[in-house]
Amino acid sequence: MQTVYDHIREMENVHGLSKHEQFVQGFLNAVDNKVLSKGDMLPSVNNLISELGFARETIAKAYKELISRGIVESKNRIGFFLAKENTRNQLRIALIIFAFDSFQEVFYKTFRNRLGKQTHIDIFFHHNNIDIFESIIDRVRGKYGMYVVAPIPHKKSAAILNSLPKDKFLMIDRYLPLATDVSYVTQEFFQSSYAAFAQLAPAIKNFKKMLYYHRPNSDTPEEILKAFEKFVKDFKIRHTILPEYIPGSIEAGYVYFTINNAELWMMLKDAKHKKLKLGKDLGILSHNDEIVKEIIFDGITTYSTSFEAMAEKAAEFILHRKKIQETIPTVLIRRGSL
């Protein structure tokens, strides 16, 4: 069985941790893994110096921090004791996501509210850039009690994620296969996109053509592009795939599909300017639902997963530490635009 010394030594291999941070995180890991129990007498400063080779000032500073957190108590002339086993009120979470889009904000607010004020969450944005992603993981590794990560579909991502402790890692949003079995709460893109397109096929066929705006090298899932290509082939839909929407180019007789909200707002502005009625003169389909899409222009048809449900499941994993592997369903929401 591992000792508290072993847990602290494990932190020595974590890039970027000071000796003080190694001690504190290793100690907390030992408590979480039931190596220590409430009331146990803890190693003396002299024993820790002998076993670990840390400086006296480093160990004294670490014990002082643990005492300030209420996890350790010092009894005069006797020694240090474990005051409590529950370290969750001191839990620090690294939340690593793409960017703070509206649906990511929904996830964060739900996640934050479900965990409560006693949990500290630091948010990092990788913007679908693998170098930024790797830098963030290197910077946070070993410094947090839990890691909640929306991965990048990149050949380097698996190796980067495999460096995180599996029992403290949760994959969210996109699923990425790893060499080891990990917990995840994600959505699915290919089958759900195809199913949404297929349900809309009769309405789409009322128009001359469907235009899909797909930005290469963006964070748009490639599975959506593949689903669209299969759909237009299977249902014999006239179509064009374009890299971006050109302001002012909207016309009657077409169905417009974009994942980018900035493009959607421009389309709606142009449709209003040209006095085109959504659902009659042209159709619009959007990905990822939000309140504003329910309200404006008699409603925008979307297909979307529930980011509230994803956040609830993620918070449950954090609170109960029970393994989870779940794909949140994606649903089509029909409104006036198509």
Side-chain angles (χ1 to χ4, degrees):
M1 181 178 178
Q2 283 188 311
T3 66
V4 64
Y5 302 117
D6 295 327
H7 281 81
I8 295 171
R9 288 192 189 99
E10 285 180 350
M11 295 294 102
E12 293 178 2
N13 296 322
V14 177
H15 176 71
L17 289 188
S18 67
K19 295 291 186 183
H20 164 75
E21 292 169 330
Q22 290 172 19
F23 185 101
V24 172
Q25 190 57 57
F27 184 92
L28 294 176
N29 290 348
V31 175
D32 289 340
N33 290 328
K34 310 300 181 184
V35 171
L36 299 168
S37 300
K38 183 178 179 180
D40 282 353
M41 188 172 184
L42 305 176
S44 67
V45 173
N46 287 337
N47 284 341
L48 287 163
I49 292 172
S50 176
E51 286 284 340
L52 301 173
F54 287 9
R56 183 178 297 273
E57 294 77 11
T58 298
I59 295 170
K61 180 182 177 182
Y63 264 150
K64 184 176 180 180
E65 178 178 336
L66 292 167
I67 290 169
S68 70
R69 294 190 185 190
I71 297 170
V72 170
E73 62 179 337
S74 175
K75 295 182 180 180
N76 192 30
R77 296 184 179 180
I78 300 177
F80 299 99
F81 295 82
L82 187 66
K84 63 181 179 181
E85 298 177 25
N86 183 5
T87 64
R88 287 182 187 171
N89 61 336
Q90 305 297 330
L91 181 62
R92 297 176 70 236
I93 299 173
L95 175 62
I96 305 169
I97 56 180
F98 286 84
F100 215 40
D101 294 323
S102 54
F103 55 91
Q104 300 282 9
E105 184 177 2
V106 168
F107 176 93
Y108 171 74
K109 287 182 176 179
T110 306
F111 188 60
R112 167 78 279 171
N113 292 337
R114 182 67 181 85
L115 290 175
K117 296 180 180 179
Q118 296 302 316
T119 303
H120 179 86
I121 304 174
D122 286 332
I123 310 178
F124 303 88
F125 304 111
H126 57 64
H127 303 288
N128 207 49
N129 184 304
I130 192 63
D131 293 327
I132 295 174
F133 183 67
E134 185 172 21
S135 176
I136 291 171
I137 297 296
D138 284 343
R139 191 162 73 249
V140 304
R141 189 187 301 112
K143 297 181 180 179
Y144 290 84
M146 295 295 297
Y147 304 87
V148 180
V149 184
I152 294 175
H154 190 279
K155 61 184 180 181
K156 292 176 63 177
S157 291
I160 294 170
L161 292 172
N162 281 328
S163 68
L164 294 173
K166 300 303 174 290
D167 60 330
K168 298 179 180 180
F169 169 61
L170 176 69
M171 187 185 301
I172 60 166
D173 196 4
R174 297 187 183 183
Y175 177 75
L176 186 71
L178 299 181
T180 56
D181 208 21
V182 299
S183 288
Y184 60 82
V185 184
T186 53
Q187 58 178 314
E188 186 277 330
F189 295 101
F190 179 81
Q191 293 180 355
S192 58
S193 295
Y194 185 88
F197 299 149
Q199 290 180 64
L200 291 169
I204 293 171
K205 287 186 175 183
N206 290 329
F207 296 89
K208 292 185 292 186
K209 182 188 285 190
M210 185 172 184
L211 307 181
Y212 171 32
Y213 295 91
H214 176 81
R215 293 171 178 251
N217 303 316
S218 71
D219 60 355
T220 301
E222 286 294 318
E223 296 94 329
I224 297 179
L225 174 61
K226 293 177 182 177
F228 180 79
E229 291 173 334
K230 177 175 170 53
F231 161 69
V232 294
K233 179 180 179 181
D234 291 349
F235 286 81
K236 297 179 174 56
I237 302 293
R238 292 187 65 220
H239 68 282
T240 301
I241 299 173
L242 300 168
E244 62 180 334
Y245 175 74
I246 305 301
S249 64
I250 205 160
E251 296 180 36
Y254 295 91
V255 175
Y256 294 83
F257 172 44
T258 180
I259 296 174
N260 184 280
N261 277 347
E263 288 187 331
L264 173 63
W265 310 143
M266 183 57 66
M267 288 176 185
L268 296 177
K269 179 181 178 181
D270 289 344
K272 181 178 180 181
H273 177 73
K274 294 185 177 182
K275 296 182 172 54
L276 299 174
K277 183 172 177 58
L278 271 62
K280 181 179 179 182
D281 298 324
L282 76 161
I284 289 184
L285 172 64
S286 176
H287 188 246
N288 292 325
D289 198 46
E290 52 191 284
I291 292 176
V292 68
K293 294 177 185 178
E294 179 182 352
I295 298 170
I296 59 174
F297 286 80
D298 295 325
I300 304 300
T301 293
T302 67
Y303 73 99
S304 176
T305 194
S306 169
F307 290 94
E308 294 94 337
M310 188 182 294
E312 288 282 353
K313 295 286 185 180
E316 286 296 312
F317 171 78
I318 299 295
L319 292 170
H320 302 298
R321 309 294 177 92
K322 186 176 180 181
K323 186 175 181 179
I324 183 171
Q325 293 183 331
E326 186 162 337
T327 302
I328 305 299
T330 296
V331 297
L332 174 67
I333 305 170
R334 297 291 299 270
R335 298 191 181 111
S337 71
L338 186 60

